[in-house]
Amino acid sequence: MEKLGKNIASRVRTLLTPTAETLGYAIWDVEYVKEGAEMVLRITIDKPEGITIDDCETMHRAIDPILDEADPIENAYRLEVSSPGLERELSRPEHFASAIGESVEVRLFAPLDGRRTVTGALVAADDTCITVEENGENVTLPKTAVAKVKTLFDWTDI
């Protein structure tokens, strides 16, 4: 199911990217996942000044007929359009590029030096490695060891 979901997500991303760009949005992520008893197609959009509920509604209304006509998914599903939020998962090269200098939390599949999490400023990322400055030292992690990377919002500043 996971591979099928990724294939559908990839096709949907390609199908909807021109519409998103016309509306002034970037598609941050596309997921096709099972949640409870139903399938969910989740389109996450972004723009430099952030996403509002009106943006989500505008995108939803614009893509609904496109998805109906192209019919990229055979089964019934629920369509969701959302913002990536303040603490957003980084998974694509453009995500990492946009987050250089930001605080991130890197979760590892297996412990490294007795811990499964590295937190600090994202210094660099390429196809093979992620470098985070943690406590004044650069820690370079192979992407194959990384389970998840997300930005961290400083809630004390609000």
mmCIF file of all heavy atoms in Angstrom, residues 62-111:
data_model
loop_
_atom_site.group_PDB
_atom_site.id
_atom_site.type_symbol
_atom_site.label_atom_id
_atom_site.label_comp_id
_atom_site.label_asym_id
_atom_site.label_seq_id
_atom_site.Cartn_x
_atom_site.Cartn_y
_atom_site.Cartn_z
ATOM 1 N N ALA A 62 -10.365 24.771 -6.569
ATOM 2 C CA ALA A 62 -9.706 24.758 -7.872
ATOM 3 C C ALA A 62 -9.311 23.344 -8.304
ATOM 4 O O ALA A 62 -9.377 23.016 -9.498
ATOM 5 C CB ALA A 62 -8.474 25.660 -7.843
ATOM 6 N N ILE A 63 -8.899 22.512 -7.352
ATOM 7 C CA ILE A 63 -8.391 21.188 -7.737
ATOM 8 C C ILE A 63 -9.449 20.100 -7.757
ATOM 9 O O ILE A 63 -9.262 19.070 -8.414
ATOM 10 C CB ILE A 63 -7.207 20.748 -6.855
ATOM 11 C CG1 ILE A 63 -7.634 20.529 -5.397
ATOM 12 C CG2 ILE A 63 -6.059 21.735 -6.995
ATOM 13 C CD1 ILE A 63 -6.558 19.974 -4.494
ATOM 14 N N ASP A 64 -10.551 20.308 -7.065
ATOM 15 C CA ASP A 64 -11.599 19.285 -7.014
ATOM 16 C C ASP A 64 -12.057 18.868 -8.421
ATOM 17 O O ASP A 64 -12.078 17.673 -8.736
ATOM 18 C CB ASP A 64 -12.754 19.763 -6.145
ATOM 19 C CG ASP A 64 -13.593 18.631 -5.603
ATOM 20 O OD1 ASP A 64 -13.071 17.499 -5.495
ATOM 21 O OD2 ASP A 64 -14.770 18.865 -5.288
ATOM 22 N N PRO A 65 -12.402 19.813 -9.316
ATOM 23 C CA PRO A 65 -12.820 19.388 -10.654
ATOM 24 C C PRO A 65 -11.691 18.759 -11.472
ATOM 25 O O PRO A 65 -11.935 17.871 -12.291
ATOM 26 C CB PRO A 65 -13.323 20.676 -11.317
ATOM 27 C CG PRO A 65 -12.889 21.800 -10.460
ATOM 28 C CD PRO A 65 -12.566 21.248 -9.112
ATOM 29 N N ILE A 66 -10.460 19.177 -11.230
ATOM 30 C CA ILE A 66 -9.317 18.595 -11.942
ATOM 31 C C ILE A 66 -9.149 17.134 -11.552
ATOM 32 O O ILE A 66 -8.952 16.256 -12.403
ATOM 33 C CB ILE A 66 -8.028 19.397 -11.647
ATOM 34 C CG1 ILE A 66 -8.155 20.808 -12.211
ATOM 35 C CG2 ILE A 66 -6.800 18.694 -12.210
ATOM 36 C CD1 ILE A 66 -7.089 21.770 -11.728
ATOM 37 N N LEU A 67 -9.249 16.863 -10.256
ATOM 38 C CA LEU A 67 -9.143 15.483 -9.782
ATOM 39 C C LEU A 67 -10.314 14.640 -10.278
ATOM 40 O O LEU A 67 -10.130 13.471 -10.651
ATOM 41 C CB LEU A 67 -9.064 15.451 -8.254
ATOM 42 C CG LEU A 67 -7.765 15.991 -7.654
ATOM 43 C CD1 LEU A 67 -7.909 16.178 -6.153
ATOM 44 C CD2 LEU A 67 -6.600 15.066 -7.974
ATOM 45 N N ASP A 68 -11.513 15.214 -10.298
ATOM 46 C CA ASP A 68 -12.678 14.480 -10.795
ATOM 47 C C ASP A 68 -12.494 14.092 -12.262
ATOM 48 O O ASP A 68 -12.806 12.972 -12.655
ATOM 49 C CB ASP A 68 -13.954 15.303 -10.630
ATOM 50 C CG ASP A 68 -14.453 15.355 -9.193
ATOM 51 O OD1 ASP A 68 -13.962 14.554 -8.363
ATOM 52 O OD2 ASP A 68 -15.316 16.199 -8.896
ATOM 53 N N GLU A 69 -11.982 15.026 -13.060
ATOM 54 C CA GLU A 69 -11.818 14.750 -14.494
ATOM 55 C C GLU A 69 -10.677 13.774 -14.773
ATOM 56 O O GLU A 69 -10.825 12.835 -15.543
ATOM 57 C CB GLU A 69 -11.562 16.054 -15.253
ATOM 58 C CG GLU A 69 -11.472 15.826 -16.759
ATOM 59 C CD GLU A 69 -11.286 17.115 -17.516
ATOM 60 O OE1 GLU A 69 -11.883 18.136 -17.131
ATOM 61 O OE2 GLU A 69 -10.540 17.095 -18.510
ATOM 62 N N ALA A 70 -9.532 13.978 -14.124
ATOM 63 C CA ALA A 70 -8.373 13.108 -14.367
ATOM 64 C C ALA A 70 -8.559 11.738 -13.723
ATOM 65 O O ALA A 70 -8.009 10.749 -14.206
ATOM 66 C CB ALA A 70 -7.113 13.768 -13.829
ATOM 67 N N ASP A 71 -9.299 11.682 -12.618
ATOM 68 C CA ASP A 71 -9.605 10.445 -11.887
ATOM 69 C C ASP A 71 -8.349 9.592 -11.619
ATOM 70 O O ASP A 71 -8.304 8.421 -12.003
ATOM 71 C CB ASP A 71 -10.656 9.646 -12.657
ATOM 72 C CG ASP A 71 -11.382 8.641 -11.778
ATOM 73 O OD1 ASP A 71 -11.340 8.802 -10.542
ATOM 74 O OD2 ASP A 71 -11.963 7.694 -12.335
ATOM 75 N N PRO A 72 -7.330 10.166 -10.931
ATOM 76 C CA PRO A 72 -6.094 9.419 -10.695
ATOM 77 C C PRO A 72 -6.194 8.353 -9.604
ATOM 78 O O PRO A 72 -5.272 7.579 -9.415
ATOM 79 C CB PRO A 72 -5.109 10.517 -10.285
ATOM 80 C CG PRO A 72 -5.977 11.532 -9.611
ATOM 81 C CD PRO A 72 -7.281 11.503 -10.365
ATOM 82 N N ILE A 73 -7.330 8.319 -8.896
ATOM 83 C CA ILE A 73 -7.504 7.365 -7.794
ATOM 84 C C ILE A 73 -8.796 6.601 -8.024
ATOM 85 O O ILE A 73 -9.866 7.197 -8.126
ATOM 86 C CB ILE A 73 -7.542 8.101 -6.434
ATOM 87 C CG1 ILE A 73 -6.269 8.935 -6.257
ATOM 88 C CG2 ILE A 73 -7.720 7.118 -5.292
ATOM 89 C CD1 ILE A 73 -6.296 9.860 -5.058
ATOM 90 N N GLU A 74 -8.684 5.270 -8.078
ATOM 91 C CA GLU A 74 -9.852 4.437 -8.368
ATOM 92 C C GLU A 74 -10.858 4.401 -7.221
ATOM 93 O O GLU A 74 -12.052 4.391 -7.449
ATOM 94 C CB GLU A 74 -9.409 2.998 -8.675
ATOM 95 C CG GLU A 74 -8.653 2.858 -9.969
ATOM 96 C CD GLU A 74 -8.223 1.425 -10.211
ATOM 97 O OE1 GLU A 74 -8.743 0.500 -9.546
ATOM 98 O OE2 GLU A 74 -7.359 1.233 -11.080
ATOM 99 N N ASN A 75 -10.363 4.367 -6.005
ATOM 100 C CA ASN A 75 -11.231 4.185 -4.840
ATOM 101 C C ASN A 75 -11.728 5.520 -4.293
ATOM 102 O O ASN A 75 -11.201 6.577 -4.624
ATOM 103 C CB ASN A 75 -10.472 3.441 -3.743
ATOM 104 C CG ASN A 75 -9.952 2.100 -4.222
ATOM 105 O OD1 ASN A 75 -10.648 1.386 -4.936
ATOM 106 N ND2 ASN A 75 -8.738 1.766 -3.851
ATOM 107 N N ALA A 76 -12.708 5.440 -3.414
ATOM 108 C CA ALA A 76 -13.210 6.642 -2.731
ATOM 109 C C ALA A 76 -12.139 7.162 -1.775
ATOM 110 O O ALA A 76 -11.380 6.389 -1.197
ATOM 111 C CB ALA A 76 -14.478 6.305 -1.958
ATOM 112 N N TYR A 77 -12.078 8.474 -1.635
ATOM 113 C CA TYR A 77 -11.124 9.092 -0.717
ATOM 114 C C TYR A 77 -11.668 10.433 -0.259
ATOM 115 O O TYR A 77 -12.566 11.000 -0.872
ATOM 116 C CB TYR A 77 -9.754 9.291 -1.385
ATOM 117 C CG TYR A 77 -9.793 10.212 -2.582
ATOM 118 C CD1 TYR A 77 -9.578 11.587 -2.451
ATOM 119 C CD2 TYR A 77 -10.061 9.718 -3.852
ATOM 120 C CE1 TYR A 77 -9.621 12.431 -3.544
ATOM 121 C CE2 TYR A 77 -10.105 10.559 -4.953
ATOM 122 C CZ TYR A 77 -9.871 11.909 -4.795
ATOM 123 O OH TYR A 77 -9.923 12.737 -5.889
ATOM 124 N N ARG A 78 -11.096 10.933 0.831
ATOM 125 C CA ARG A 78 -11.433 12.263 1.321
ATOM 126 C C ARG A 78 -10.298 13.201 0.904
ATOM 127 O O ARG A 78 -9.124 12.908 1.126
ATOM 128 C CB ARG A 78 -11.574 12.249 2.840
ATOM 129 C CG ARG A 78 -12.010 13.611 3.409
ATOM 130 C CD ARG A 78 -12.163 13.602 4.915
ATOM 131 N NE ARG A 78 -10.843 13.547 5.526
ATOM 132 C CZ ARG A 78 -10.506 12.746 6.522
ATOM 133 N NH1 ARG A 78 -11.385 11.918 7.030
ATOM 134 N NH2 ARG A 78 -9.293 12.769 7.019
ATOM 135 N N LEU A 79 -10.646 14.345 0.313
ATOM 136 C CA LEU A 79 -9.658 15.333 -0.093
ATOM 137 C C LEU A 79 -9.479 16.364 1.010
ATOM 138 O O LEU A 79 -10.456 16.926 1.500
ATOM 139 C CB LEU A 79 -10.111 16.028 -1.390
ATOM 140 C CG LEU A 79 -9.229 17.178 -1.885
ATOM 141 C CD1 LEU A 79 -7.820 16.688 -2.216
ATOM 142 C CD2 LEU A 79 -9.874 17.823 -3.105
ATOM 143 N N GLU A 80 -8.231 16.592 1.404
ATOM 144 C CA GLU A 80 -7.901 17.622 2.385
ATOM 145 C C GLU A 80 -6.850 18.534 1.787
ATOM 146 O O GLU A 80 -5.918 18.068 1.131
ATOM 147 C CB GLU A 80 -7.304 17.009 3.657
ATOM 148 C CG GLU A 80 -8.253 16.215 4.482
ATOM 149 C CD GLU A 80 -7.600 15.671 5.751
ATOM 150 O OE1 GLU A 80 -6.394 15.933 5.995
ATOM 151 O OE2 GLU A 80 -8.297 14.972 6.499
ATOM 152 N N VAL A 81 -6.992 19.828 2.007
ATOM 153 C CA VAL A 81 -5.972 20.805 1.633
ATOM 154 C C VAL A 81 -5.574 21.519 2.913
ATOM 155 O O VAL A 81 -6.439 21.985 3.655
ATOM 156 C CB VAL A 81 -6.486 21.809 0.576
ATOM 157 C CG1 VAL A 81 -5.417 22.844 0.260
ATOM 158 C CG2 VAL A 81 -6.918 21.077 -0.693
ATOM 159 N N SER A 82 -4.268 21.580 3.182
ATOM 160 C CA SER A 82 -3.821 22.166 4.445
ATOM 161 C C SER A 82 -2.511 22.924 4.280
ATOM 162 O O SER A 82 -1.873 22.886 3.236
ATOM 163 C CB SER A 82 -3.664 21.068 5.496
ATOM 164 O OG SER A 82 -2.609 20.199 5.136
ATOM 165 N N SER A 83 -2.118 23.577 5.363
ATOM 166 C CA SER A 83 -0.845 24.281 5.479
ATOM 167 C C SER A 83 0.172 23.334 6.101
ATOM 168 O O SER A 83 -0.205 22.474 6.899
ATOM 169 C CB SER A 83 -1.046 25.492 6.391
ATOM 170 O OG SER A 83 0.172 25.914 6.938
ATOM 171 N N PRO A 84 1.452 23.504 5.806
ATOM 172 C CA PRO A 84 2.448 22.650 6.463
ATOM 173 C C PRO A 84 2.658 23.006 7.932
ATOM 174 O O PRO A 84 3.269 22.249 8.670
ATOM 175 C CB PRO A 84 3.728 22.886 5.658
ATOM 176 C CG PRO A 84 3.539 24.173 4.960
ATOM 177 C CD PRO A 84 2.053 24.353 4.783
ATOM 178 N N GLY A 85 2.131 24.142 8.372
ATOM 179 C CA GLY A 85 2.230 24.521 9.774
ATOM 180 C C GLY A 85 3.565 25.173 10.113
ATOM 181 O O GLY A 85 4.448 25.305 9.278
ATOM 182 N N LEU A 86 3.690 25.580 11.359
ATOM 183 C CA LEU A 86 4.922 26.228 11.813
ATOM 184 C C LEU A 86 6.060 25.232 11.966
ATOM 185 O O LEU A 86 7.205 25.539 11.664
ATOM 186 C CB LEU A 86 4.675 26.941 13.149
ATOM 187 C CG LEU A 86 3.742 28.139 13.097
ATOM 188 C CD1 LEU A 86 3.463 28.648 14.504
ATOM 189 C CD2 LEU A 86 4.319 29.239 12.235
ATOM 190 N N GLU A 87 5.751 24.064 12.489
ATOM 191 C CA GLU A 87 6.745 23.007 12.610
ATOM 192 C C GLU A 87 6.444 21.996 11.514
ATOM 193 O O GLU A 87 5.547 21.180 11.636
ATOM 194 C CB GLU A 87 6.706 22.381 14.005
ATOM 195 C CG GLU A 87 7.093 23.363 15.078
ATOM 196 C CD GLU A 87 7.270 22.745 16.446
ATOM 197 O OE1 GLU A 87 6.601 21.740 16.760
ATOM 198 O OE2 GLU A 87 8.086 23.272 17.204
ATOM 199 N N ARG A 88 7.204 22.110 10.450
ATOM 200 C CA ARG A 88 6.905 21.341 9.248
ATOM 201 C C ARG A 88 7.946 20.268 8.983
ATOM 202 O O ARG A 88 9.124 20.457 9.247
ATOM 203 C CB ARG A 88 6.777 22.268 8.056
ATOM 204 C CG ARG A 88 7.931 23.212 7.892
ATOM 205 C CD ARG A 88 7.733 24.263 6.842
ATOM 206 N NE ARG A 88 6.635 25.145 7.172
ATOM 207 C CZ ARG A 88 6.076 25.977 6.309
ATOM 208 N NH1 ARG A 88 6.524 26.065 5.091
ATOM 209 N NH2 ARG A 88 5.085 26.741 6.666
ATOM 210 N N GLU A 89 7.472 19.162 8.459
ATOM 211 C CA GLU A 89 8.371 18.071 8.112
ATOM 212 C C GLU A 89 9.125 18.421 6.838
ATOM 213 O O GLU A 89 8.555 18.966 5.891
ATOM 214 C CB GLU A 89 7.579 16.772 7.924
ATOM 215 C CG GLU A 89 8.469 15.576 7.736
ATOM 216 C CD GLU A 89 7.735 14.251 7.791
ATOM 217 O OE1 GLU A 89 6.584 14.211 8.253
ATOM 218 O OE2 GLU A 89 8.338 13.258 7.364
ATOM 219 N N LEU A 90 10.404 18.113 6.835
ATOM 220 C CA LEU A 90 11.254 18.330 5.667
ATOM 221 C C LEU A 90 11.522 16.976 5.020
ATOM 222 O O LEU A 90 12.015 16.061 5.680
ATOM 223 C CB LEU A 90 12.588 18.973 6.077
ATOM 224 C CG LEU A 90 12.511 20.243 6.934
ATOM 225 C CD1 LEU A 90 13.910 20.720 7.304
ATOM 226 C CD2 LEU A 90 11.739 21.332 6.214
ATOM 227 N N SER A 91 11.190 16.858 3.741
ATOM 228 C CA SER A 91 11.421 15.578 3.073
ATOM 229 C C SER A 91 11.981 15.735 1.661
ATOM 230 O O SER A 91 12.658 14.853 1.168
ATOM 231 C CB SER A 91 10.129 14.763 3.018
ATOM 232 O OG SER A 91 9.130 15.476 2.328
ATOM 233 N N ARG A 92 11.727 16.842 1.010
ATOM 234 C CA ARG A 92 12.163 17.052 -0.370
ATOM 235 C C ARG A 92 13.350 18.020 -0.399
ATOM 236 O O ARG A 92 13.514 18.827 0.520
ATOM 237 C CB ARG A 92 11.010 17.590 -1.212
ATOM 238 C CG ARG A 92 9.793 16.634 -1.221
ATOM 239 C CD ARG A 92 8.612 17.218 -1.956
ATOM 240 N NE ARG A 92 8.880 17.514 -3.332
ATOM 241 C CZ ARG A 92 8.845 16.627 -4.340
ATOM 242 N NH1 ARG A 92 8.540 15.380 -4.087
ATOM 243 N NH2 ARG A 92 9.093 16.995 -5.575
ATOM 244 N N PRO A 93 14.187 17.961 -1.430
ATOM 245 C CA PRO A 93 15.347 18.872 -1.494
ATOM 246 C C PRO A 93 14.973 20.342 -1.310
ATOM 247 O O PRO A 93 15.671 21.077 -0.600
ATOM 248 C CB PRO A 93 15.919 18.610 -2.892
ATOM 249 C CG PRO A 93 15.516 17.207 -3.214
ATOM 250 C CD PRO A 93 14.166 17.029 -2.568
ATOM 251 N N GLU A 94 13.846 20.771 -1.899
ATOM 252 C CA GLU A 94 13.454 22.179 -1.762
ATOM 253 C C GLU A 94 13.038 22.520 -0.335
ATOM 254 O O GLU A 94 13.175 23.663 0.106
ATOM 255 C CB GLU A 94 12.358 22.561 -2.761
ATOM 256 C CG GLU A 94 11.080 21.770 -2.649
ATOM 257 C CD GLU A 94 10.998 20.520 -3.526
ATOM 258 O OE1 GLU A 94 12.044 19.950 -3.914
ATOM 259 O OE2 GLU A 94 9.867 20.090 -3.817
ATOM 260 N N HIS A 95 12.551 21.534 0.429
ATOM 261 C CA HIS A 95 12.217 21.762 1.836
ATOM 262 C C HIS A 95 13.489 22.083 2.626
ATOM 263 O O HIS A 95 13.527 23.037 3.405
ATOM 264 C CB HIS A 95 11.570 20.538 2.473
ATOM 265 C CG HIS A 95 10.259 20.147 1.886
ATOM 266 N ND1 HIS A 95 9.680 18.937 2.182
ATOM 267 C CD2 HIS A 95 9.425 20.768 1.026
ATOM 268 C CE1 HIS A 95 8.527 18.843 1.532
ATOM 269 N NE2 HIS A 95 8.363 19.942 0.823
ATOM 270 N N PHE A 96 14.513 21.235 2.422
ATOM 271 C CA PHE A 96 15.771 21.436 3.138
ATOM 272 C C PHE A 96 16.413 22.762 2.743
ATOM 273 O O PHE A 96 16.889 23.506 3.603
ATOM 274 C CB PHE A 96 16.724 20.259 2.887
ATOM 275 C CG PHE A 96 16.325 19.013 3.611
ATOM 276 C CD1 PHE A 96 15.580 18.033 2.977
ATOM 277 C CD2 PHE A 96 16.674 18.820 4.940
ATOM 278 C CE1 PHE A 96 15.200 16.884 3.643
ATOM 279 C CE2 PHE A 96 16.300 17.678 5.622
ATOM 280 C CZ PHE A 96 15.558 16.701 4.975
ATOM 281 N N ALA A 97 16.402 23.088 1.461
ATOM 282 C CA ALA A 97 16.998 24.345 0.994
ATOM 283 C C ALA A 97 16.322 25.546 1.646
ATOM 284 O O ALA A 97 16.993 26.508 2.033
ATOM 285 C CB ALA A 97 16.914 24.433 -0.530
ATOM 286 N N SER A 98 15.005 25.486 1.789
ATOM 287 C CA SER A 98 14.276 26.618 2.378
ATOM 288 C C SER A 98 14.470 26.727 3.889
ATOM 289 O O SER A 98 14.173 27.758 4.477
ATOM 290 C CB SER A 98 12.776 26.515 2.058
ATOM 291 O OG SER A 98 12.174 25.477 2.797
ATOM 292 N N ALA A 99 14.979 25.664 4.519
ATOM 293 C CA ALA A 99 15.107 25.648 5.976
ATOM 294 C C ALA A 99 16.539 25.825 6.474
ATOM 295 O O ALA A 99 16.783 25.729 7.682
ATOM 296 C CB ALA A 99 14.517 24.350 6.528
ATOM 297 N N ILE A 100 17.489 26.107 5.580
ATOM 298 C CA ILE A 100 18.870 26.322 6.017
ATOM 299 C C ILE A 100 18.885 27.470 7.036
ATOM 300 O O ILE A 100 18.296 28.520 6.816
ATOM 301 C CB ILE A 100 19.795 26.637 4.813
ATOM 302 C CG1 ILE A 100 19.856 25.451 3.831
ATOM 303 C CG2 ILE A 100 21.204 27.026 5.286
ATOM 304 C CD1 ILE A 100 20.480 24.187 4.374
ATOM 305 N N GLY A 101 19.541 27.233 8.156
ATOM 306 C CA GLY A 101 19.629 28.229 9.213
ATOM 307 C C GLY A 101 18.537 28.110 10.268
ATOM 308 O O GLY A 101 18.651 28.702 11.346
ATOM 309 N N GLU A 102 17.497 27.361 9.972
ATOM 310 C CA GLU A 102 16.402 27.199 10.938
ATOM 311 C C GLU A 102 16.718 26.084 11.937
ATOM 312 O O GLU A 102 17.493 25.172 11.659
ATOM 313 C CB GLU A 102 15.094 26.854 10.206
ATOM 314 C CG GLU A 102 14.528 28.013 9.420
ATOM 315 C CD GLU A 102 13.118 27.731 8.932
ATOM 316 O OE1 GLU A 102 12.326 27.144 9.707
ATOM 317 O OE2 GLU A 102 12.829 28.098 7.790
ATOM 318 N N SER A 103 16.057 26.154 13.081
ATOM 319 C CA SER A 103 16.168 25.086 14.077
ATOM 320 C C SER A 103 15.393 23.874 13.594
ATOM 321 O O SER A 103 14.253 24.002 13.144
ATOM 322 C CB SER A 103 15.603 25.539 15.422
ATOM 323 O OG SER A 103 16.395 26.551 15.968
ATOM 324 N N VAL A 104 16.034 22.706 13.705
ATOM 325 C CA VAL A 104 15.392 21.466 13.280
ATOM 326 C C VAL A 104 15.603 20.383 14.326
ATOM 327 O O VAL A 104 16.530 20.454 15.140
ATOM 328 C CB VAL A 104 15.927 20.963 11.909
ATOM 329 C CG1 VAL A 104 15.594 21.922 10.791
ATOM 330 C CG2 VAL A 104 17.411 20.672 11.962
ATOM 331 N N GLU A 105 14.719 19.405 14.266
ATOM 332 C CA GLU A 105 14.857 18.192 15.069
ATOM 333 C C GLU A 105 14.985 17.040 14.091
ATOM 334 O O GLU A 105 14.126 16.866 13.219
ATOM 335 C CB GLU A 105 13.624 17.988 15.947
ATOM 336 C CG GLU A 105 13.662 16.702 16.741
ATOM 337 C CD GLU A 105 12.388 16.483 17.511
ATOM 338 O OE1 GLU A 105 11.409 15.991 16.902
ATOM 339 O OE2 GLU A 105 12.361 16.804 18.711
ATOM 340 N N VAL A 106 16.061 16.284 14.222
ATOM 341 C CA VAL A 106 16.306 15.129 13.363
ATOM 342 C C VAL A 106 16.124 13.875 14.215
ATOM 343 O O VAL A 106 16.823 13.691 15.213
ATOM 344 C CB VAL A 106 17.736 15.155 12.764
ATOM 345 C CG1 VAL A 106 17.953 13.952 11.856
ATOM 346 C CG2 VAL A 106 17.987 16.454 12.021
ATOM 347 N N ARG A 107 15.163 13.058 13.825
ATOM 348 C CA ARG A 107 14.939 11.783 14.519
ATOM 349 C C ARG A 107 15.590 10.672 13.711
ATOM 350 O O ARG A 107 15.410 10.604 12.498
ATOM 351 C CB ARG A 107 13.452 11.507 14.693
ATOM 352 C CG ARG A 107 12.839 12.494 15.645
ATOM 353 C CD ARG A 107 11.482 12.083 16.076
ATOM 354 N NE ARG A 107 10.932 13.135 16.918
ATOM 355 C CZ ARG A 107 9.710 13.148 17.349
ATOM 356 N NH1 ARG A 107 8.888 12.177 17.053
ATOM 357 N NH2 ARG A 107 9.287 14.142 18.105
ATOM 358 N N LEU A 108 16.306 9.805 14.410
ATOM 359 C CA LEU A 108 17.058 8.739 13.763
ATOM 360 C C LEU A 108 16.357 7.397 13.912
ATOM 361 O O LEU A 108 15.625 7.180 14.883
ATOM 362 C CB LEU A 108 18.460 8.661 14.382
ATOM 363 C CG LEU A 108 19.255 9.965 14.360
ATOM 364 C CD1 LEU A 108 20.508 9.842 15.199
ATOM 365 C CD2 LEU A 108 19.586 10.361 12.930
ATOM 366 N N PHE A 109 16.598 6.512 12.960
ATOM 367 C CA PHE A 109 16.040 5.167 13.037
ATOM 368 C C PHE A 109 16.641 4.389 14.215
ATOM 369 O O PHE A 109 15.945 3.648 14.893
ATOM 370 C CB PHE A 109 16.304 4.387 11.741
ATOM 371 C CG PHE A 109 15.462 4.832 10.588
ATOM 372 C CD1 PHE A 109 16.053 5.407 9.471
ATOM 373 C CD2 PHE A 109 14.086 4.686 10.599
ATOM 374 C CE1 PHE A 109 15.281 5.813 8.391
ATOM 375 C CE2 PHE A 109 13.302 5.088 9.537
ATOM 376 C CZ PHE A 109 13.915 5.655 8.424
ATOM 377 N N ALA A 110 17.941 4.567 14.420
ATOM 378 C CA ALA A 110 18.640 3.845 15.487
ATOM 379 C C ALA A 110 19.482 4.853 16.270
ATOM 380 O O ALA A 110 19.898 5.883 15.732
ATOM 381 C CB ALA A 110 19.532 2.765 14.884
ATOM 382 N N PRO A 111 19.766 4.571 17.535
ATOM 383 C CA PRO A 111 20.549 5.514 18.340
ATOM 384 C C PRO A 111 21.939 5.773 17.751
ATOM 385 O O PRO A 111 22.585 4.881 17.216
ATOM 386 C CB PRO A 111 20.664 4.810 19.690
ATOM 387 C CG PRO A 111 19.545 3.847 19.726
ATOM 388 C CD PRO A 111 19.333 3.409 18.311
#
